[in-house]
Amino acid sequence: MALTTRRSGRTRFTILLLVLTAVTLLTLDGRGFGPIDSARSAILSALSPVGDAGAAVFRPISDAWSSAFDQGDLREENERLREENERLQGEVAAGELSQLQLQQLLENEGITFTGDLPRVHARVVAGSVGNFGQTLDLDKGASSGIAEGMAVVTGKGLVGRVVQVSDDRCTVEMITSGNYQIGFNVVGSSAVGVARGTGSPTVLQGSRIDVTQKVEVGSIVVTGGTRASRFPPDLPIGTIATVTTDEAARETTVEITLFARTTDLTYADVVIYTPPPPGS
Amino acid sequence: MNPLPRTIVRYALLVVTAAILQRAVFAELRIDGAVPDALLVLAVAAGLASGTERGAVVGFFSGLALDLMVTTPFGLGAVSYLVAGAMAGAIETALVRSARWLTMTIGALCAVVGVGVFALLGTLLDQAGMLGRHLLVVMAVVGVSTLALVLPFVRACRWADKDTDHLRPALR
């Protein structure tokens, strides 16, 4: 009896100690404790060969696994895709025209889409290891000039930012994750705001737009590139889909439909950009 | 070599193996955005095999291993998996009689609770998109996969514990 009581007291003490340690680690991480980032980078680097080998061996199983779960929908989807293919062939020409128009519009507004900024082209090698967090791993890292905080784009626009870097790998957190904000400008007006992911793979929520600024559905949204931002200015983000004005709060909020796809990516570019130091 | 350091080394090996399995195998087996979680299964299995304290300690280090591989706040996995491991140990210890199906069910339930704690604490720590439909999918996938994986993991934990195991009935 005495042994059991002593044992249960020790168990409670151990659990309490572990919880306090975890809380301390959470606090240190929240304050940007450097060694934690270093440890994560080291693990990213150490596990990348394992991940690559695993992907090479298990990707076919993974594909079979996915198709087994999707088989019911596949036949239906096949039919739908066949119909869509014919329709899309007709729309390709129109799409190319729209792309051209978008490029012209961006050029007219002085938006060069990373223009002279160097970019590192990288292949997506892995998705998130866990169940939460919208991240992916690219096969380039610090040895290619990539640093934490750099913007990641595809041919259509911004998709995320680099959150972890090792020598030959980096981890990108998608803009849709909702864990960071992006300052934006609305092209054709002087409206500025802050966008944040909603968890949806195609939509951002924009807020803090001054109610006196006129914002229209269909307007193009680009990165603001303010001094505090790690992103260069004028990276295309998306178009405004809805506008809601709250007169009482003196604020306009918008929904932004992304230009770029954020799921099933094969390649992405990291924009090598270092923001000017404060006060310069 | 003393039994305790040998047990620690064996559990460390199990945590590293589970982390490699997670990175190389389970991360590829994605169903509707959710994957089985080998590190969470290990935490729960340690609790089922060796009681509350061992479940909490192994859960803490399994969670830390996950924290090193993801971008969510560091320590979130540690505290969530600690809860799952300790809970599995507490329930298993409280049972008068055990059976395989019961061990599997308790393992799956505790894993689902671990996922829930992770999402809830993550939301409190301002992580977006952790609650909602995705959480239900993750709970379902983790629950079912734990049901399938927990018995081999319990056997592995008994191997890790075999030198200190003779004290277990008296100490739990």
Side-chain angles (χ1 to χ4, degrees):
Chain A
M1 182 69 180
L3 185 64
T4 311
T5 311
R6 201 159 57 226
R7 179 74 182 175
S8 103
R10 204 189 92 171
T11 301
R12 272 199 293 271
F13 176 73
T14 307
I15 292 175
L16 185 70
L17 199 68
L18 291 173
V19 169
L20 287 175
T21 309
V23 171
T24 308
L25 289 171
L26 280 165
T27 310
L28 287 173
D29 187 41
R31 289 171 179 270
F33 186 57
I36 290 176
D37 285 341
S38 307
R40 279 178 158 167
S41 295
I43 291 292
L44 179 68
S45 191
L47 285 183
S48 58
V50 176
D52 292 351
V57 174
F58 290 98
R59 189 65 44 91
I61 299 171
S62 166
D63 291 345
W65 173 275
S66 304
S67 61
F69 280 91
D70 298 338
Q71 201 165 15
D73 303 327
L74 280 179
R75 195 171 293 122
E76 196 181 315
E77 195 180 357
N78 208 13
E79 285 297 317
R80 188 175 54 76
L81 287 175
R82 196 169 292 144
E83 280 179 28
E84 253 187 29
N85 188 31
E86 289 173 11
R87 185 175 56 78
L88 287 173
Q89 278 173 351
E91 286 183 13
V92 164
E96 281 172 358
L97 186 65
S98 300
Q99 185 75 18
L100 202 65
Q101 284 171 336
L102 172 65
Q103 276 174 4
Q104 278 173 352
L105 187 58
L106 292 172
E107 278 165 21
N108 289 345
E109 296 291 340
I111 299 166
T112 51
F113 191 6
T114 77
D116 299 331
L117 294 172
R119 286 194 272 174
V120 174
H121 189 59
R123 192 166 58 89
V124 177
V125 286
S128 176
V129 173
N131 279 303
F132 298 99
Q134 296 179 15
T135 60
L136 49 83
D137 290 355
L138 300 179
D139 68 346
K140 299 278 170 61
S143 57
S144 304
I146 295 170
E148 222 173 275
M150 286 180 172
V152 179
V153 298
T154 64
K156 289 186 171 178
L158 185 68
V159 292
R161 71 167 184 184
V162 176
V163 288
Q164 267 176 38
V165 191
S166 70
D167 262 1
D168 55 356
R169 284 285 188 281
C170 68
T171 302
V172 177
E173 185 163 33
M174 310 311 288
I175 45 173
T176 49
S177 69
N179 291 328
Y180 57 95
Q181 297 180 327
I182 307 144
F184 68 80
N185 293 339
V186 180
V187 175
S189 81
S190 49
V192 294
V194 173
R196 190 171 183 165
T198 58
S200 155
T202 54
V203 176
L204 298 185
Q205 184 79 36
S207 60
R208 297 193 211 162
I209 303 170
D210 192 324
V211 76
T212 57
Q213 298 293 335
K214 194 170 162 53
V215 181
E216 288 174 354
V217 170
S219 298
I220 293 174
V221 171
V222 296
T223 52
T226 55
R227 277 186 192 282
S229 174
R230 292 294 306 265
F231 293 163
D234 298 337
L235 293 180
I237 299 174
T239 53
I240 292 177
T242 63
V243 179
T244 311
T245 301
D246 184 345
E247 289 291 348
R250 306 289 295 159
E251 183 192 38
T252 297
T253 56
V254 295
E255 268 190 6
I256 302 163
T257 305
L258 295 172
F259 283 134
R261 198 159 47 92
T262 57
T263 53
D264 300 324
L265 294 177
T266 313
Y267 294 98
D269 291 352
V270 181
V271 182
I272 307 296
Y273 169 78
T274 311
S280 66
Chain B
M1 197 176 187
N2 285 334
L4 191 61
R6 202 177 299 159
T7 302
I8 292 171
V9 169
R10 283 178 181 162
Y11 267 115
L13 265 177
L14 285 184
V15 171
V16 171
T17 308
I20 291 172
L21 265 179
Q22 185 64 32
R23 177 71 181 82
V25 184
F26 292 130
E28 297 292 330
L29 304 177
R30 203 163 278 276
I31 305 166
D32 201 9
V35 292
D37 191 333
L39 288 157
L40 182 53
V41 180
L42 178 64
V44 166
L48 292 172
S50 306
T52 311
E53 188 177 352
R54 189 59 50 85
V57 174
V58 175
F60 177 82
F61 286 104
S62 297
L64 272 191
L66 179 84
D67 287 330
L68 284 170
M69 298 191 292
V70 297
T71 56
T72 45
F74 193 81
L76 184 56
V79 75
S80 312
Y81 291 13
L82 179 163
V83 170
M87 188 180 159
I91 295 175
E92 181 76 5
T93 308
L95 287 178
V96 177
R97 172 179 85 83
S98 192
R100 278 184 171 201
W101 68 268
L102 202 54
T103 303
M104 289 163 70
T105 310
I106 293 168
L109 281 176
C110 292
V112 168
V113 168
V115 169
V117 172
F118 190 98
L120 207 63
L121 288 179
T123 305
L124 288 174
L125 291 167
D126 206 25
Q127 295 291 297
M130 286 208 168
L131 300 178
R133 184 188 165 273
H134 179 62
L135 175 61
L136 297 178
V137 175
V138 172
M139 283 176 157
V141 170
V142 168
V144 172
S145 58
T146 304
L147 210 59
L149 294 168
V150 76
L151 288 180
F153 274 72
V154 167
R155 193 168 296 172
C157 290
R158 291 211 171 113
W159 163 77
D161 247 335
K162 77 178 171 194
D163 292 326
T164 49
D165 204 41
H166 58 283
L167 295 171
R168 191 162 54 89
L171 292 177
R172 282 209 304 188

